[in-house]
Amino acid sequence: MNKDLSNNNIRSVLFVCHGNICRSPMAEFIFKDMVRKAGLEEVRIDSAAVSYEEEGNDIYPPAKRTLHGHGIPFGRHSAHRVTDAEASEYDVIIVMDASNRRLLPRIISPMNMSKVHLMMEYAGKDSDVSDPWYTGDFEKTYRDITEGCAGLLESLSQAEPISTVG
């Protein structure tokens, strides 16, 4: 996998985790905030799950508190499982851990799998984003996601000029 997106025209990013109530929506809103502050436009940013377990649920309250505590704006969220059709709409798909990556081929096509990258690749690390559902450490998860999103933003900044939507 090559994390260098500088030769691509990235206009859309989908973040994926297990249930779409902690890590992926945190990444969605953290990245939206970073992109907005960078003055970029026309980047579609969203999040989804590899499971149906939390379908329809909002962001988990401790994740909301963490975002709020760091001044990251967020709105109402409705967890959902990614579909192949949805995956085809995005230029890059960022998964939070190796388990998400293992489950995705059961859901999305090989063509869409070619767009999948691990979040921490963008931080220059071969590791997973800490899962606060099990650790309870939402601050560590916030730090992991922020580090990965900063690297992703740097990759986007090296690409053709873009601007932010959604």
Side-chain angles (χ1 to χ4, degrees), residues 115-158:
K115 301 185 274 187
V116 174
H117 300 268
L118 286 164
M119 171 65 93
M120 295 310 289
E121 286 179 36
Y122 295 95
K125 297 181 178 177
D126 183 23
S127 61
D128 293 339
V129 172
S130 178
D131 190 343
W133 185 260
Y134 299 105
T135 68
D137 190 346
F138 286 82
E139 285 299 320
K140 167 116 176 64
T141 301
Y142 175 84
R143 288 190 304 272
D144 285 352
I145 291 170
T146 300
E147 191 175 0
C149 283
L152 177 59
L153 182 61
E154 184 178 329
S155 292
L156 286 175
S157 298
Q158 295 169 6

Coordinates of all heavy atoms in Angstrom, one line a residue, residues 115-158:
K115 N -8.6 1.1 -3.0 CA -8.5 2.4 -2.4 C -8.4 2.4 -0.9 O -8.4 3.5 -0.3 CB -9.9 3.1 -2.7 CG -10.1 3.2 -4.2 CD -11.4 4.1 -4.5 CE -12.6 3.2 -4.5 NZ -13.8 4.0 -4.9
V116 N -8.2 1.3 -0.3 CA -8.2 1.2 1.2 C -6.8 1.3 1.7 O -5.8 0.8 1.2 CB -8.8 -0.2 1.6 CG1 -8.7 -0.4 3.1 CG2 -10.3 -0.3 1.2
H117 N -6.7 2.2 2.8 CA -5.5 2.4 3.5 C -5.7 2.4 5.0 O -6.8 2.7 5.4 CB -4.9 3.8 3.1 CG -4.6 4.0 1.7 ND1 -3.4 3.7 1.2 CD2 -5.4 4.3 0.7 CE1 -3.4 3.9 -0.2 NE2 -4.6 4.3 -0.5
L118 N -4.7 2.0 5.8 CA -4.8 2.1 7.2 C -4.6 3.5 7.7 O -3.6 4.1 7.2 CB -3.8 1.1 7.9 CG -4.2 -0.4 7.8 CD1 -2.9 -1.2 8.1 CD2 -5.3 -0.7 8.8
M119 N -5.3 4.0 8.6 CA -5.2 5.4 9.1 C -3.8 5.7 9.6 O -3.2 6.7 9.2 CB -6.2 5.6 10.3 CG -5.9 6.9 11.0 SD -6.2 8.4 10.0 CE -7.9 8.7 10.4
M120 N -3.2 4.8 10.3 CA -1.9 5.1 10.9 C -0.7 5.1 9.9 O 0.4 5.6 10.2 CB -1.6 4.2 12.1 CG -2.6 4.4 13.3 SD -2.8 6.1 13.8 CE -1.2 6.5 14.6
E121 N -1.0 4.6 8.7 CA 0.0 4.7 7.6 C 0.4 6.2 7.4 O 1.5 6.6 7.1 CB -0.5 4.2 6.3 CG -0.7 2.8 6.1 CD -1.3 2.4 4.8 OE1 -1.0 3.1 3.8 OE2 -2.0 1.5 4.7
Y122 N -0.6 7.1 7.5 CA -0.5 8.5 7.3 C 0.3 9.2 8.4 O 0.8 10.3 8.2 CB -1.8 9.2 7.0 CG -2.4 8.7 5.8 CD1 -3.4 7.7 5.8 CD2 -2.1 9.2 4.5 CE1 -3.9 7.2 4.6 CE2 -2.6 8.7 3.4 CZ -3.5 7.7 3.4 OH -4.1 7.2 2.3
A123 N 0.5 8.5 9.5 CA 1.3 8.9 10.6 C 2.7 8.3 10.5 O 3.5 8.5 11.4 CB 0.6 8.6 11.9
G124 N 2.9 7.5 9.5 CA 4.2 6.8 9.3 C 4.4 5.6 10.3 O 5.5 5.3 10.6
K125 N 3.2 5.1 10.7 CA 3.3 4.0 11.7 C 2.6 2.7 11.2 O 1.6 2.8 10.4 CB 2.6 4.4 13.0 CG 3.3 5.6 13.7 CD 2.6 5.9 15.0 CE 3.3 7.1 15.7 NZ 2.6 7.5 16.9
D126 N 3.1 1.6 11.6 CA 2.5 0.3 11.3 C 1.7 -0.2 12.5 O 2.1 -1.1 13.2 CB 3.6 -0.7 10.9 CG 3.0 -2.0 10.4 OD1 1.8 -2.1 10.0 OD2 3.7 -3.0 10.5
S127 N 0.6 0.5 12.7 CA -0.2 0.2 13.9 C -1.7 0.5 13.7 O -2.0 1.1 12.6 CB 0.3 0.9 15.2 OG 0.2 2.3 14.9
D128 N -2.5 0.1 14.6 CA -4.0 0.4 14.5 C -4.3 1.6 15.3 O -3.5 2.0 16.2 CB -4.8 -0.8 15.1 CG -4.7 -2.0 14.3 OD1 -4.3 -2.0 13.1 OD2 -4.9 -3.1 14.8
V129 N -5.4 2.3 15.0 CA -5.9 3.3 15.8 C -6.5 2.6 17.0 O -7.3 1.7 16.9 CB -7.0 4.1 15.1 CG1 -7.7 5.1 16.1 CG2 -6.4 4.9 13.9
S130 N -6.1 3.1 18.2 CA -6.6 2.5 19.5 C -8.1 2.5 19.5 O -8.7 3.5 19.2 CB -6.0 3.3 20.6 OG -6.5 2.9 21.8
D131 N -8.7 1.4 19.9 CA -10.2 1.3 19.9 C -10.7 1.6 21.3 O -10.5 0.8 22.2 CB -10.6 -0.1 19.5 CG -12.1 -0.2 19.3 OD1 -12.8 0.7 19.7 OD2 -12.5 -1.2 18.6
P132 N -11.3 2.8 21.5 CA -11.7 3.2 22.8 C -12.9 2.4 23.3 O -13.2 2.4 24.5 CB -12.1 4.6 22.6 CG -12.6 4.7 21.2 CD -11.7 3.7 20.4
W133 N -13.6 1.6 22.5 CA -14.7 0.8 22.9 C -14.2 -0.2 23.9 O -14.8 -0.6 24.9 CB -15.3 0.1 21.7 CG -16.5 -0.7 22.1 CD1 -16.6 -2.0 22.3 CD2 -17.9 -0.2 22.4 NE1 -17.9 -2.4 22.7 CE2 -18.7 -1.3 22.7 CE3 -18.4 1.1 22.4 CZ2 -20.0 -1.1 23.0 CZ3 -19.8 1.2 22.7 CH2 -20.5 0.1 23.0
Y134 N -12.9 -0.7 23.7 CA -12.3 -1.7 24.6 C -11.4 -1.1 25.6 O -11.3 -1.5 26.7 CB -11.5 -2.7 23.7 CG -12.5 -3.4 22.8 CD1 -12.5 -3.2 21.4 CD2 -13.4 -4.4 23.3 CE1 -13.3 -3.8 20.6 CE2 -14.2 -5.1 22.4 CZ -14.2 -4.8 21.1 OH -15.1 -5.4 20.2
T135 N -10.7 0.0 25.2 CA -9.7 0.6 26.1 C -10.3 1.7 27.0 O -9.8 1.9 28.1 CB -8.6 1.3 25.3 OG1 -9.1 2.4 24.7 CG2 -7.9 0.3 24.4
G136 N -11.4 2.3 26.6 CA -12.0 3.4 27.4 C -11.1 4.7 27.3 O -11.5 5.7 27.8
D137 N -10.0 4.6 26.5 CA -9.1 5.8 26.4 C -9.4 6.6 25.2 O -8.7 6.4 24.1 CB -7.7 5.3 26.5 CG -6.7 6.4 26.6 OD1 -7.0 7.6 26.5 OD2 -5.5 6.1 26.9
F138 N -10.4 7.4 25.2 CA -10.8 8.2 24.1 C -9.7 9.3 23.7 O -9.6 9.7 22.6 CB -12.2 8.9 24.3 CG -13.3 7.8 24.2 CD1 -13.6 7.0 25.3 CD2 -13.9 7.7 23.0 CE1 -14.6 6.1 25.2 CE2 -14.9 6.7 22.9 CZ -15.2 5.9 24.0
E139 N -8.9 9.7 24.7 CA -7.9 10.7 24.4 C -6.8 10.0 23.6 O -6.3 10.7 22.6 CB -7.3 11.2 25.7 CG -8.2 12.2 26.4 CD -8.4 13.5 25.5 OE1 -7.5 14.0 24.9 OE2 -9.6 13.9 25.6
K140 N -6.4 8.8 23.8 CA -5.4 8.1 23.0 C -5.9 7.9 21.6 O -5.2 8.2 20.6 CB -5.1 6.7 23.6 CG -4.3 5.8 22.6 CD -2.9 5.5 23.1 CE -2.1 4.6 22.3 NZ -1.8 5.0 20.9
T141 N -7.2 7.6 21.5 CA -7.8 7.5 20.2 C -7.8 8.8 19.4 O -7.5 8.9 18.3 CB -9.3 6.9 20.3 OG1 -9.2 5.6 20.9 CG2 -10.0 6.8 18.9
Y142 N -8.1 9.9 20.1 CA -8.1 11.2 19.6 C -6.7 11.5 19.0 O -6.6 12.0 17.9 CB -8.6 12.2 20.6 CG -8.4 13.7 20.1 CD1 -9.5 14.2 19.3 CD2 -7.3 14.4 20.3 CE1 -9.3 15.5 18.8 CE2 -7.2 15.7 19.8 CZ -8.2 16.2 19.1 OH -8.1 17.5 18.6
R143 N -5.7 11.2 19.8 CA -4.3 11.5 19.4 C -3.9 10.7 18.2 O -3.3 11.2 17.3 CB -3.3 11.2 20.6 CG -3.4 12.2 21.7 CD -2.3 12.1 22.7 NE -2.2 10.7 23.3 CZ -2.8 10.3 24.4 NH1 -3.6 11.2 25.0 NH2 -2.7 9.1 24.9
D144 N -4.3 9.4 18.2 CA -4.0 8.6 17.0 C -4.7 9.1 15.8 O -4.0 9.3 14.7 CB -4.5 7.1 17.2 CG -3.7 6.3 18.2 OD1 -2.6 6.7 18.6 OD2 -4.2 5.2 18.5
I145 N -6.0 9.4 15.9 CA -6.7 9.9 14.7 C -6.2 11.3 14.3 O -6.0 11.5 13.1 CB -8.2 10.0 15.0 CG1 -8.8 8.6 15.2 CG2 -9.0 10.8 14.0 CD1 -10.2 8.5 15.7
T146 N -5.9 12.1 15.2 CA -5.3 13.5 14.8 C -4.0 13.3 14.1 O -3.8 14.0 13.1 CB -5.2 14.3 16.1 OG1 -6.5 14.5 16.7 CG2 -4.6 15.7 15.8
E147 N -3.2 12.4 14.6 CA -1.9 12.2 13.9 C -2.1 11.7 12.5 O -1.4 12.1 11.6 CB -1.1 11.3 14.8 CG 0.4 11.1 14.4 CD 1.2 10.3 15.3 OE1 0.7 9.7 16.3 OE2 2.4 10.1 15.0
G148 N -3.0 10.7 12.4 CA -3.2 10.1 11.0 C -3.9 11.1 10.1 O -3.5 11.2 8.9
C149 N -4.8 11.9 10.6 CA -5.5 12.9 9.8 C -4.5 14.0 9.3 O -4.6 14.5 8.2 CB -6.7 13.5 10.5 SG -8.1 12.5 10.6
A150 N -3.6 14.4 10.2 CA -2.6 15.4 9.9 C -1.7 14.9 8.7 O -1.4 15.7 7.8 CB -1.7 15.8 11.1
G151 N -1.3 13.6 8.7 CA -0.6 13.1 7.6 C -1.4 13.0 6.4 O -0.9 13.2 5.3
L152 N -2.7 12.6 6.5 CA -3.5 12.6 5.3 C -3.7 13.9 4.7 O -3.6 14.1 3.5 CB -4.9 12.0 5.7 CG -6.0 11.9 4.7 CD1 -5.5 11.1 3.5 CD2 -7.3 11.4 5.2
L153 N -3.9 14.9 5.6 CA -4.0 16.3 5.1 C -2.8 16.7 4.4 O -2.8 17.4 3.3 CB -4.3 17.3 6.2 CG -4.6 18.7 5.8 CD1 -5.7 18.9 4.9 CD2 -4.8 19.6 7.1
E154 N -1.6 16.4 4.9 CA -0.3 16.7 4.2 C -0.3 16.0 2.8 O 0.1 16.7 1.9 CB 0.8 16.2 5.1 CG 2.2 16.6 4.5 CD 3.3 16.2 5.4 OE1 3.2 16.1 6.6 OE2 4.4 15.9 4.8
S155 N -0.7 14.8 2.7 CA -0.8 14.1 1.4 C -1.7 14.8 0.5 O -1.4 15.0 -0.7 CB -1.3 12.7 1.6 OG -0.3 11.9 2.3
L156 N -2.9 15.2 1.0 CA -3.8 16.0 0.2 C -3.3 17.3 -0.3 O -3.5 17.7 -1.4 CB -5.1 16.2 0.9 CG -6.0 15.0 1.1 CD1 -7.2 15.4 2.0 CD2 -6.5 14.4 -0.2
S157 N -2.6 18.0 0.6 CA -2.0 19.3 0.3 C -0.9 19.2 -0.8 O -0.7 20.2 -1.5 CB -1.4 19.9 1.6 OG -2.4 20.1 2.5
Q158 N -0.3 18.0 -0.9 CA 0.7 17.8 -2.0 C 0.0 17.5 -3.3 O 0.7 17.5 -4.3 CB 1.7 16.7 -1.6 CG 2.5 17.1 -0.4 CD 3.2 15.9 0.2 OE1 3.2 14.8 -0.4 NE2 3.9 16.0 1.3

